[in-house]
Amino acid sequence: MISHRFVFASMVLMVSSACGGDPGDSSGSTDSGGTTETTTSTGMTTTSSATESESDATTAAPTSTSTTTSTTGPGTTEAPTSTSTTTTGDPFLCEVDMEGCCDVELEVEADTFFADVVDGVSLEGCPLLDFPPPDFADLQCQHFSFGAAPELRLIRDDGSVSAPWLGQSMMVLRFPSADGALLIDGEPIPHEVIQAAHLELSAEVDWTLFAELRFAVHGLDADATWLEGQGDGATGCVDDLASFACLACGAEVDAACATEWPEPPGMSPPLGIVEGLKGEDPGLQPIDLAPLGAASSWVPAIAGGLVIVPGASKFMGQAFEALVPAPGLLVRTRESFAPPRLRLRLCQP
């Protein structure tokens, strides 16, 4: 029997923000009488009059507010101090740094697991659950709703490596989006301003067993809108909740689906393959989504969800091109203390 030691991995991406405006004009005056004079001017128009020619000149200027203060006393002269703020153009989605960029995070709005894993020795029950609900102890994984499960193991196994488990377990995430665009504070993020994207997951991996983890990333389109269960962990899938077997389950467990999947989750061609790299302590570094290409190509494809399927690894020093054998890795959901996040680097066009 293999002894498993799991290590908590939390992926963090730095967040930086800074914003500055253009300095405005300032002017000052001195008074030998030892007084303090403050002048405030605000407006779009500056008007000057010439006494001899009796002609007026009007000049339009950007909206600005300036304050100038000068103080003089007998034998002293101090330079005027001023502050100015100039506003031009529309505001960006977030406060930018000197490079015109900023980092934001989108917390997952729904997540769940889908699995069709069975035990090759006993076809009864779901081997991914140590303590299944008593009423569903013999229920197979594909008929479970995992919407409220705080954690589950991701595997892809053919039963030939370390355990007689057959099948795969995947994680599905949905982030705020509408009309093919991700949302921040309800506002759509234009694809062209997304310069980088990283997926942050909380996971436990036994790095004495695994190396070179990879994940296939699939998308669920807007036609595959699934409901996240809100019960106590895993439960039999009913009443329009989602499972591996059904986009929307029927009125009875293990019965006909109310709505079939247009295509089984994780079975479509992947958007790309991403690395699951070991980080500190050891941990798992943020998953870089750069292999998926430009945001305009993958963001619309995840309108219904982002599917993470374990794809390839070395297990006990042996390479398996398409497998992540049991025990796999334990991944946590938003019902845990560390919900998944999507971290984006946004830059002004």
Side-chain angles (χ1 to χ4, degrees):
M1 179 178 295
I2 295 174
S3 173
H4 307 301
R5 178 173 59 88
F6 296 101
V7 181
F8 170 76
S10 178
M11 292 155 282
V12 181
L13 184 67
M14 68 174 185
V15 178
S16 61
S17 64
C19 184
D22 297 330
D25 296 333
S26 62
S27 60
S29 61
T30 60
D31 188 346
S32 60
T35 62
T36 298
E37 177 182 306
T38 300
T39 304
T40 302
S41 63
T42 302
M44 291 294 295
T45 305
T46 302
T47 305
S48 62
S49 301
T51 305
E52 294 181 359
S53 62
E54 296 182 358
S55 63
D56 295 335
T58 302
T59 304
T63 302
S64 64
T65 301
S66 63
T67 302
T68 302
T69 303
S70 61
T71 304
T72 60
T76 62
T77 301
E78 296 184 4
T81 60
S82 65
T83 60
S84 176
T85 301
T86 303
T87 302
T88 58
D90 296 329
F92 193 53
L93 295 162
C94 48
E95 294 186 4
V96 299
D97 56 20
M98 296 298 291
E99 297 179 349
C101 300
C102 54
D103 297 296
V104 300
E105 64 178 41
L106 306 181
E107 190 165 313
V108 68
E109 68 174 11
D111 55 23
T112 190
F113 300 101
F114 296 141
D116 64 347
V117 177
V118 296
D119 191 324
V121 176
S122 172
L123 298 180
E124 300 298 326
C126 178
L128 294 172
L129 296 176
D130 294 329
F131 304 101
D135 293 344
F136 308 114
D138 295 332
L139 193 65
Q140 294 183 8
C141 291
Q142 64 176 324
H143 300 299
F144 269 99
S145 169
F146 295 102
E151 60 188 25
L152 202 71
R153 300 191 182 280
L154 301 189
I155 73 166
R156 193 171 187 181
D157 206 331
D158 63 1
S160 65
V161 184
S162 66
W165 293 3
L166 310 174
Q168 60 185 342
S169 174
M170 64 196 71
M171 187 178 200
V172 188
L173 310 165
R174 185 166 61 231
F175 292 94
S177 65
D179 300 323
L182 293 169
L183 302 179
I184 179 172
D185 296 331
E187 294 294 327
I189 303 175
H191 299 152
E192 63 270 15
V193 307
I194 302 176
Q195 300 300 309
H198 289 77
L199 178 64
E200 176 186 310
L201 296 177
S202 173
E204 293 181 5
V205 185
D206 187 344
W207 291 110
T208 65
L209 298 178
F210 289 98
E212 298 183 11
L213 282 174
R214 296 187 181 94
F215 304 93
V217 180
H218 303 257
L220 292 177
D221 61 28
D223 293 332
T225 301
W226 46 274
L227 294 181
E228 180 188 33
Q230 301 297 327
D232 296 327
T235 185
C237 188
V238 293
D239 298 336
D240 293 333
L241 297 180
S243 69
F244 184 91
C246 300
L247 173 58
C249 292
E252 297 181 2
V253 175
D254 197 9
C257 300
T259 305
E260 299 279 354
W261 284 104
E263 187 172 27
M267 299 301 178
S268 62
L271 302 174
I273 305 297
V274 296
E275 300 284 341
L277 301 177
K278 185 170 67 175
E280 298 178 355
D281 295 332
L284 195 65
Q285 294 182 10
I287 299 176
D288 189 358
L289 300 182
L292 305 187
S296 58
S297 66
W298 62 268
V299 170
I302 65 168
L306 178 69
V307 186
I308 305 296
V309 181
S313 72
K314 285 185 178 180
F315 182 75
M316 300 181 67
Q318 184 177 354
F320 295 94
E321 182 177 353
L323 302 179
V324 174
L329 63 155
L330 190 72
V331 180
R332 297 186 174 90
T333 69
R334 70 189 188 114
E335 282 79 19
S336 72
F337 58 86
R341 290 180 173 86
L342 189 63
R343 296 187 179 274
L344 305 176
R345 176 77 168 168
L346 308 181
C347 295
Q348 292 176 323

